Amino acid sequence: MAHLDLSADVVTLTQQLVDIFSVSHEEEEIADAVESALRGLPHLTVTRRGHTIVARTDLGRGERVVIAGHIDTVPLNDNLPSRQEDGVLHGLGSCDMKGGDAVMLKLAADVTEPNRDLTFVFYEAEEVDSVHNGLRKLTESDPHLLEADFAILMEPSNAAVEAGCQGTLRVDVRTTGERSHSARSWKGVNAIHLAGPVLARLNDYVAREPEIDGLTYHEGLNATGIRGGVAGNVIPDECVVEVNFRFAPDRSEADAEAFVRDFFEGYDVTVTDLAAGALPGLDRPAAKAFVEAVGGEVAPKFGWTDVAQFTKLGIPAVNFGPGDPMFAHKQDEHVPIEHIERCERLLKDWLA
Protein backbone atom coordinates (compact mmCIF):
# COMPACT_ATOMS: atom_id res chain seq x y z
CA MET A 1 0.00 0.00 0.00
CA ALA A 2 1.19 3.53 -0.79
CA HIS A 3 2.35 5.53 2.24
CA LEU A 4 1.71 9.20 2.94
CA ASP A 5 4.12 10.96 5.29
CA LEU A 6 2.13 13.66 7.11
CA SER A 7 5.32 14.96 8.72
CA ALA A 8 6.65 15.97 5.30
CA ASP A 9 6.20 19.49 3.96
CA VAL A 10 3.07 20.21 1.95
CA VAL A 11 4.86 20.17 -1.44
CA THR A 12 6.46 16.78 -0.80
CA LEU A 13 3.08 15.49 0.34
CA THR A 14 1.52 16.79 -2.90
CA GLN A 15 4.10 14.81 -4.89
CA GLN A 16 3.34 11.69 -2.89
CA LEU A 17 -0.36 12.06 -3.70
CA VAL A 18 0.24 12.79 -7.38
CA ASP A 19 2.38 9.69 -7.75
CA ILE A 20 -0.46 7.47 -6.54
CA PHE A 21 -2.47 6.54 -9.63
CA SER A 22 -6.13 7.37 -8.93
CA VAL A 23 -8.10 7.74 -12.14
CA SER A 24 -11.86 7.79 -11.44
CA HIS A 25 -13.19 4.39 -10.32
CA GLU A 26 -9.63 3.35 -9.43
CA GLU A 27 -9.24 5.28 -6.15
CA GLU A 28 -8.81 2.33 -3.79
CA GLU A 29 -5.03 2.73 -3.33
CA ILE A 30 -5.13 6.46 -2.63
CA ALA A 31 -8.20 6.09 -0.38
CA ASP A 32 -6.39 3.38 1.60
CA ALA A 33 -3.35 5.65 1.99
CA VAL A 34 -5.41 8.64 3.08
CA GLU A 35 -7.44 6.56 5.52
CA SER A 36 -4.31 4.98 7.04
CA ALA A 37 -2.64 8.37 7.50
CA LEU A 38 -5.70 9.95 9.11
CA ARG A 39 -6.38 7.03 11.46
CA GLY A 40 -2.96 7.69 12.96
CA LEU A 41 -4.16 11.08 14.23
CA PRO A 42 -5.82 10.66 17.67
CA HIS A 43 -7.70 13.97 17.58
CA LEU A 44 -9.78 12.86 14.56
CA THR A 45 -12.69 10.44 14.16
CA VAL A 46 -12.44 8.73 10.79
CA THR A 47 -15.31 7.25 8.76
CA ARG A 48 -15.08 5.54 5.37
CA ARG A 49 -17.83 5.11 2.80
CA GLY A 50 -16.61 3.32 -0.34
CA HIS A 51 -13.49 5.23 -1.35
CA THR A 52 -14.59 8.42 0.44
CA ILE A 53 -12.89 9.29 3.73
CA VAL A 54 -14.35 11.67 6.36
CA ALA A 55 -12.26 12.84 9.34
CA ARG A 56 -13.78 15.06 12.07
CA THR A 57 -12.75 16.87 15.22
CA ASP A 58 -15.23 17.01 18.09
CA LEU A 59 -13.95 19.78 20.34
CA GLY A 60 -17.24 21.49 21.12
CA ARG A 61 -16.35 24.66 19.21
CA GLY A 62 -19.08 27.16 18.38
CA GLU A 63 -18.69 26.70 14.63
CA ARG A 64 -17.90 23.80 12.28
CA VAL A 65 -16.21 24.06 8.87
CA VAL A 66 -16.11 21.37 6.20
CA ILE A 67 -13.01 21.31 3.99
CA ALA A 68 -13.43 18.98 1.02
CA GLY A 69 -11.50 17.71 -1.98
CA HIS A 70 -11.81 14.87 -4.47
CA ILE A 71 -9.06 12.28 -4.79
CA ASP A 72 -9.70 11.03 -8.34
CA THR A 73 -8.21 12.32 -11.59
CA VAL A 74 -9.03 12.28 -15.28
CA PRO A 75 -7.29 9.55 -17.35
CA LEU A 76 -3.51 9.40 -17.63
CA ASN A 77 -1.99 11.41 -20.49
CA ASP A 78 1.72 10.59 -20.28
CA ASN A 79 1.98 12.91 -17.26
CA LEU A 80 3.20 10.67 -14.44
CA PRO A 81 5.34 10.53 -12.36
CA SER A 82 5.42 14.05 -10.92
CA ARG A 83 8.35 16.40 -11.32
CA GLN A 84 9.39 19.78 -9.94
CA GLU A 85 10.82 22.48 -12.19
CA ASP A 86 11.31 26.23 -11.66
CA GLY A 87 8.90 26.52 -8.74
CA VAL A 88 6.20 24.44 -10.40
CA LEU A 89 5.02 20.91 -9.65
CA HIS A 90 3.95 18.98 -12.75
CA GLY A 91 1.88 15.81 -12.96
CA LEU A 92 -1.58 14.30 -13.34
CA GLY A 93 -3.87 15.69 -10.65
CA SER A 94 -1.32 18.21 -9.35
CA CYS A 95 -3.71 21.09 -10.09
CA ASP A 96 -7.02 19.24 -9.99
CA MET A 97 -6.75 18.71 -7.11
CA LYS A 98 -4.04 16.91 -5.20
CA GLY A 99 -2.34 20.16 -4.19
CA GLY A 100 -5.56 21.00 -2.34
CA ASP A 101 -5.74 17.48 -0.89
CA ALA A 102 -2.19 17.85 0.45
CA VAL A 103 -3.14 21.12 2.15
CA MET A 104 -6.10 19.35 3.76
CA LEU A 105 -3.89 16.53 5.04
CA LYS A 106 -1.39 19.00 6.53
CA LEU A 107 -4.20 20.89 8.26
CA ALA A 108 -5.59 17.63 9.61
CA ALA A 109 -2.18 16.62 10.97
CA ASP A 110 -0.85 19.95 12.23
CA VAL A 111 -3.88 21.92 13.48
CA THR A 112 -4.80 19.76 16.44
CA GLU A 113 -6.56 22.53 18.40
CA PRO A 114 -8.44 24.53 15.74
CA ASN A 115 -10.60 27.49 16.70
CA ARG A 116 -13.49 25.83 14.83
CA ASP A 117 -14.42 22.17 14.65
CA LEU A 118 -13.29 20.71 11.36
CA THR A 119 -14.61 18.06 8.99
CA PHE A 120 -12.26 16.89 6.24
CA VAL A 121 -13.82 15.06 3.28
CA PHE A 122 -11.64 13.25 0.73
CA TYR A 123 -14.10 11.89 -1.83
CA GLU A 124 -14.15 9.68 -4.88
CA ALA A 125 -15.46 9.97 -8.45
CA GLU A 126 -15.80 13.71 -8.99
CA GLU A 127 -14.47 13.60 -12.57
CA VAL A 128 -17.22 11.29 -13.87
CA ASP A 129 -21.03 11.25 -13.98
CA SER A 130 -22.60 12.70 -10.85
CA VAL A 131 -24.30 9.40 -10.00
CA HIS A 132 -20.86 8.16 -8.86
CA ASN A 133 -19.81 11.32 -6.99
CA GLY A 134 -18.71 10.44 -3.44
CA LEU A 135 -19.71 13.80 -1.97
CA ARG A 136 -23.16 13.60 -3.53
CA LYS A 137 -23.56 10.09 -2.11
CA LEU A 138 -22.65 11.38 1.37
CA THR A 139 -25.33 14.09 1.15
CA GLU A 140 -27.84 11.26 0.74
CA SER A 141 -26.45 8.47 2.95
CA ASP A 142 -24.78 10.40 5.80
CA PRO A 143 -25.82 14.06 5.71
CA HIS A 144 -25.00 14.35 9.44
CA LEU A 145 -21.31 13.91 8.57
CA LEU A 146 -21.49 17.10 6.50
CA GLU A 147 -23.34 19.32 8.99
CA ALA A 148 -21.48 22.62 9.20
CA ASP A 149 -21.74 26.40 9.25
CA PHE A 150 -19.44 26.88 6.26
CA ALA A 151 -17.64 24.78 3.64
CA ILE A 152 -14.47 25.22 1.61
CA LEU A 153 -13.94 23.20 -1.54
CA MET A 154 -10.24 22.98 -2.40
CA GLU A 155 -10.82 23.16 -6.15
CA PRO A 156 -8.08 25.04 -8.07
CA SER A 157 -8.85 28.75 -7.94
CA ASN A 158 -5.41 30.40 -8.16
CA ALA A 159 -5.15 30.32 -4.35
CA ALA A 160 -7.96 32.89 -4.14
CA VAL A 161 -11.66 32.73 -3.37
CA GLU A 162 -14.04 31.86 -6.20
CA ALA A 163 -17.64 32.09 -5.05
CA GLY A 164 -20.60 30.00 -6.10
CA CYS A 165 -20.60 28.10 -9.36
CA GLN A 166 -22.57 27.89 -12.56
CA GLY A 167 -24.97 25.05 -13.26
CA THR A 168 -24.58 22.65 -16.16
CA LEU A 169 -27.20 21.12 -18.44
CA ARG A 170 -26.54 18.69 -21.27
CA VAL A 171 -29.13 17.88 -23.92
CA ASP A 172 -29.37 15.92 -27.15
CA VAL A 173 -31.07 17.88 -29.92
CA ARG A 174 -32.32 15.34 -32.46
CA THR A 175 -33.30 15.72 -36.11
CA THR A 176 -35.13 12.95 -37.95
CA GLY A 177 -35.10 12.21 -41.66
CA GLU A 178 -35.59 9.21 -43.93
CA ARG A 179 -33.01 6.70 -45.13
CA SER A 180 -32.34 6.09 -48.79
CA HIS A 181 -29.48 4.98 -51.00
CA SER A 182 -27.04 7.85 -51.51
CA ALA A 183 -27.20 7.26 -55.27
CA ARG A 184 -30.89 8.20 -55.01
CA SER A 185 -30.61 10.77 -52.25
CA TRP A 186 -33.73 12.61 -53.35
CA LYS A 187 -35.72 9.61 -52.26
CA GLY A 188 -34.75 10.23 -48.63
CA VAL A 189 -34.40 13.10 -46.16
CA ASN A 190 -30.90 13.80 -44.83
CA ALA A 191 -31.07 14.24 -41.04
CA ILE A 192 -27.53 15.61 -40.88
CA HIS A 193 -28.48 18.40 -43.27
CA LEU A 194 -31.51 19.14 -41.11
CA ALA A 195 -29.15 19.84 -38.19
CA GLY A 196 -27.82 22.94 -39.97
CA PRO A 197 -30.45 25.28 -38.44
CA VAL A 198 -29.66 23.89 -34.98
CA LEU A 199 -26.02 24.93 -35.41
CA ALA A 200 -27.12 28.28 -36.84
CA ARG A 201 -29.19 29.01 -33.73
CA LEU A 202 -26.21 28.20 -31.54
CA ASN A 203 -23.96 30.42 -33.62
CA ASP A 204 -26.38 33.34 -33.14
CA TYR A 205 -26.74 32.80 -29.37
CA VAL A 206 -25.93 35.86 -27.22
CA ALA A 207 -24.68 35.00 -23.74
CA ARG A 208 -26.40 36.39 -20.66
CA GLU A 209 -24.11 38.00 -18.07
CA PRO A 210 -26.01 38.53 -14.80
CA GLU A 211 -24.49 40.24 -11.75
CA ILE A 212 -25.02 38.36 -8.48
CA ASP A 213 -23.62 39.56 -5.14
CA GLY A 214 -21.36 41.93 -7.05
CA LEU A 215 -19.94 39.14 -9.24
CA THR A 216 -20.56 38.92 -12.99
CA TYR A 217 -21.30 35.44 -14.34
CA HIS A 218 -21.12 34.52 -18.04
CA GLU A 219 -23.45 31.87 -19.44
CA GLY A 220 -22.60 29.65 -22.40
CA LEU A 221 -24.61 27.52 -24.83
CA ASN A 222 -22.47 25.37 -27.11
CA ALA A 223 -22.49 22.30 -29.30
CA THR A 224 -20.00 19.86 -27.81
CA GLY A 225 -20.55 16.94 -30.18
CA ILE A 226 -22.50 15.71 -33.17
CA ARG A 227 -23.30 12.19 -34.20
CA GLY A 228 -25.12 10.64 -37.12
CA GLY A 229 -24.65 8.49 -40.16
CA VAL A 230 -25.31 4.89 -41.10
CA ALA A 231 -22.88 4.00 -43.88
CA GLY A 232 -20.99 5.71 -46.66
CA ASN A 233 -23.77 4.97 -49.17
CA VAL A 234 -26.80 5.65 -46.97
CA ILE A 235 -28.64 8.91 -46.43
CA PRO A 236 -28.92 9.15 -42.60
CA ASP A 237 -32.30 9.22 -40.91
CA GLU A 238 -31.09 10.62 -37.58
CA CYS A 239 -28.61 13.22 -36.34
CA VAL A 240 -27.97 14.30 -32.76
CA VAL A 241 -26.30 17.54 -31.72
CA GLU A 242 -24.97 17.36 -28.16
CA VAL A 243 -25.36 20.74 -26.43
CA ASN A 244 -24.01 21.97 -23.08
CA PHE A 245 -25.61 24.93 -21.31
CA ARG A 246 -23.57 26.53 -18.51
CA PHE A 247 -26.06 28.67 -16.63
CA ALA A 248 -25.67 31.32 -13.93
CA PRO A 249 -26.65 30.32 -10.39
CA ASP A 250 -29.69 32.59 -10.31
CA ARG A 251 -31.41 30.09 -12.62
CA SER A 252 -32.95 26.95 -11.15
CA GLU A 253 -32.61 23.60 -12.89
CA ALA A 254 -36.20 23.94 -14.12
CA ASP A 255 -35.50 27.47 -15.44
CA ALA A 256 -32.41 26.25 -17.30
CA GLU A 257 -34.27 23.36 -18.89
CA ALA A 258 -37.16 25.60 -19.89
CA PHE A 259 -34.76 28.08 -21.52
CA VAL A 260 -33.05 25.39 -23.59
CA ARG A 261 -36.30 23.76 -24.67
CA ASP A 262 -37.63 27.16 -25.73
CA PHE A 263 -34.36 27.93 -27.55
CA PHE A 264 -34.69 24.72 -29.58
CA GLU A 265 -38.44 24.96 -30.09
CA GLY A 266 -39.56 22.62 -32.86
CA TYR A 267 -36.85 20.03 -32.18
CA ASP A 268 -36.75 16.84 -30.15
CA VAL A 269 -34.76 17.72 -27.00
CA THR A 270 -33.64 15.08 -24.47
CA VAL A 271 -31.95 16.05 -21.19
CA THR A 272 -28.92 13.83 -20.50
CA ASP A 273 -27.37 15.57 -17.49
CA LEU A 274 -28.39 18.41 -15.17
CA ALA A 275 -26.79 19.90 -12.07
CA ALA A 276 -27.79 23.12 -10.33
CA GLY A 277 -25.35 25.92 -9.68
CA ALA A 278 -24.62 27.54 -6.33
CA LEU A 279 -25.26 31.15 -5.37
CA PRO A 280 -22.19 32.98 -4.01
CA GLY A 281 -23.62 33.39 -0.52
CA LEU A 282 -21.13 36.14 0.28
CA ASP A 283 -23.69 37.83 2.49
CA ARG A 284 -23.53 34.94 4.98
CA PRO A 285 -21.44 35.74 8.11
CA ALA A 286 -19.19 32.68 7.85
CA ALA A 287 -18.39 33.40 4.20
CA LYS A 288 -17.72 37.07 4.94
CA ALA A 289 -15.34 36.17 7.75
CA PHE A 290 -13.38 33.76 5.57
CA VAL A 291 -13.07 36.21 2.69
CA GLU A 292 -11.83 38.90 5.07
CA ALA A 293 -9.32 36.48 6.60
CA VAL A 294 -7.69 35.29 3.36
CA GLY A 295 -7.97 38.59 1.51
CA GLY A 296 -7.68 39.13 -2.22
CA GLU A 297 -10.33 39.79 -4.85
CA VAL A 298 -13.26 37.39 -4.98
CA ALA A 299 -14.10 36.02 -8.43
CA PRO A 300 -17.10 34.09 -9.75
CA LYS A 301 -16.70 30.38 -10.50
CA PHE A 302 -17.64 29.79 -14.13
CA GLY A 303 -17.41 26.01 -14.06
CA TRP A 304 -19.53 23.64 -12.00
CA THR A 305 -18.04 22.43 -8.74
CA ASP A 306 -19.28 20.55 -5.72
CA VAL A 307 -20.02 23.74 -3.81
CA ALA A 308 -23.46 23.05 -5.27
CA GLN A 309 -23.68 19.92 -3.09
CA PHE A 310 -23.30 22.09 0.02
CA THR A 311 -25.82 24.61 -1.26
CA LYS A 312 -28.41 21.82 -1.38
CA LEU A 313 -27.71 21.26 2.33
CA GLY A 314 -28.08 24.96 3.11
CA ILE A 315 -24.35 25.40 3.82
CA PRO A 316 -22.57 28.44 2.33
CA ALA A 317 -19.47 27.34 0.46
CA VAL A 318 -16.63 28.76 -1.60
CA ASN A 319 -13.87 27.40 -3.82
CA PHE A 320 -10.36 28.06 -2.49
CA GLY A 321 -7.44 25.97 -3.69
CA PRO A 322 -4.01 26.01 -5.33
CA GLY A 323 -3.61 25.90 -9.09
CA ASP A 324 -4.91 27.66 -12.18
CA PRO A 325 -8.09 25.83 -13.31
CA MET A 326 -7.08 26.52 -16.93
CA PHE A 327 -4.45 23.78 -16.54
CA ALA A 328 -6.81 21.18 -15.09
CA HIS A 329 -7.15 18.11 -17.35
CA LYS A 330 -4.31 19.26 -19.64
CA GLN A 331 -1.33 17.05 -20.44
CA ASP A 332 0.91 19.73 -18.94
CA GLU A 333 -1.12 19.88 -15.75
CA HIS A 334 0.80 21.70 -13.04
CA VAL A 335 0.48 23.78 -9.89
CA PRO A 336 2.72 26.62 -8.65
CA ILE A 337 4.43 25.59 -5.44
CA GLU A 338 3.77 29.07 -4.07
CA HIS A 339 0.01 28.45 -4.43
CA ILE A 340 0.17 25.28 -2.34
CA GLU A 341 2.21 26.97 0.37
CA ARG A 342 0.00 30.07 0.39
CA CYS A 343 -3.20 28.06 0.83
CA GLU A 344 -1.64 26.09 3.68
CA ARG A 345 -0.41 29.26 5.41
CA LEU A 346 -3.65 31.21 5.09
CA LEU A 347 -5.83 28.35 6.24
CA LYS A 348 -3.57 27.55 9.20
CA ASP A 349 -3.64 31.20 10.24
CA TRP A 350 -7.43 31.30 9.95
CA LEU A 351 -7.94 28.07 11.89
CA ALA A 352 -5.34 28.80 14.59
Side-chain angles (χ1 to χ4, degrees), residues 146-208:
L146 298 175
E147 290 176 356
D149 301 283
F150 181 55
I152 301 167
L153 194 67
M154 298 294 295
E155 283 281 355
S157 58
N158 286 300
V161 175
E162 290 186 337
C165 74
Q166 300 206 134
T168 181
L169 168 67
R170 291 185 176 87
V171 298
D172 285 347
V173 182
R174 182 173 282 99
T175 58
T176 303
E178 182 180 353
R179 291 191 194 186
S180 71
H181 196 294
S182 61
R184 294 175 292 279
S185 59
W186 60 91
K187 296 293 187 180
V189 179
N190 194 313
I192 292 178
H193 293 181
L194 294 178
V198 173
L199 299 177
R201 287 190 194 185
L202 287 168
N203 195 54
D204 293 338
Y205 165 77
V206 178
R208 174 173 167 264

Side-chain angles (χ1 to χ4, degrees), residues 74-332:
V74 296
L76 184 66
N77 190 13
D78 194 27
N79 48 2
L80 282 181
S82 63
R83 60 184 173 85
Q84 281 193 50
E85 184 177 303
D86 299 327
V88 174
L89 176 61
H90 299 258
L92 176 64
S94 55
C95 173
D96 189 16
M97 55 176 293
K98 292 184 177 180
D101 292 332
V103 171
M104 290 169 58
L105 286 170
K106 288 300 292 179
L107 294 173
D110 296 350
V111 185
T112 59
E113 290 287 337
N115 53 24
R116 298 160 171 85
D117 268 310
L118 300 177
T119 300
F120 298 98
V121 184
F122 300 84
Y123 62 99
E124 63 183 321
E126 188 271 350
E127 299 290 5
V128 288
D129 289 347
S130 62
V131 66
H132 304 293
N133 185 297
L135 186 60
R136 184 197 64 78
K137 288 181 177 180
L138 273 183
T139 67
E140 297 174 356
S141 67
D142 299 89
H144 65 282
L145 292 178
L146 298 175
E147 290 176 356
D149 301 283
F150 181 55
I152 301 167
L153 194 67
M154 298 294 295
E155 283 281 355
S157 58
N158 286 300
V161 175
E162 290 186 337
C165 74
Q166 300 206 134
T168 181
L169 168 67
R170 291 185 176 87
V171 298
D172 285 347
V173 182
R174 182 173 282 99
T175 58
T176 303
E178 182 180 353
R179 291 191 194 186
S180 71
H181 196 294
S182 61
R184 294 175 292 279
S185 59
W186 60 91
K187 296 293 187 180
V189 179
N190 194 313
I192 292 178
H193 293 181
L194 294 178
V198 173
L199 299 177
R201 287 190 194 185
L202 287 168
N203 195 54
D204 293 338
Y205 165 77
V206 178
R208 174 173 167 264
E209 298 182 57
E211 183 174 305
I212 307 168
D213 285 358
L215 304 177
T216 302
Y217 290 83
H218 192 292
E219 295 186 329
L221 185 67
N222 293 279
T224 56
I226 188 166
R227 61 183 189 269
V230 181
N233 60 352
V234 177
I235 298 301
D237 59 345
E238 182 179 87
C239 180
V240 174
V241 181
E242 300 169 11
V243 176
N244 184 205
F245 181 38
R246 296 290 176 144
F247 55 94
D250 60 342
R251 290 191 197 261
S252 68
E253 292 169 293
D255 291 339
E257 182 177 345
F259 170 79
V260 170
R261 290 190 181 280
D262 181 66
F263 188 87
F264 292 113
E265 184 179 4
Y267 290 94
D268 178 9
V269 176
T270 303
V271 175
T272 60
D273 188 44
L274 177 57
L279 289 165
L282 297 179
D283 58 338
R284 303 283 287 271
K288 281 185 176 181
F290 179 72
V291 168
E292 290 171 2
V294 300
E297 184 176 348
V298 180
K301 188 69 172 179
F302 293 117
W304 185 92
T305 74
D306 277 317
V307 294
Q309 307 285 4
F310 293 107
T311 296
K312 288 191 295 186
L313 296 174
I315 303 169
V318 298
N319 305 280
F320 178 73
D324 183 341
M326 295 297 292
F327 289 98
H329 302 185
K330 295 178 70 69
Q331 183 177 34
D332 183 29

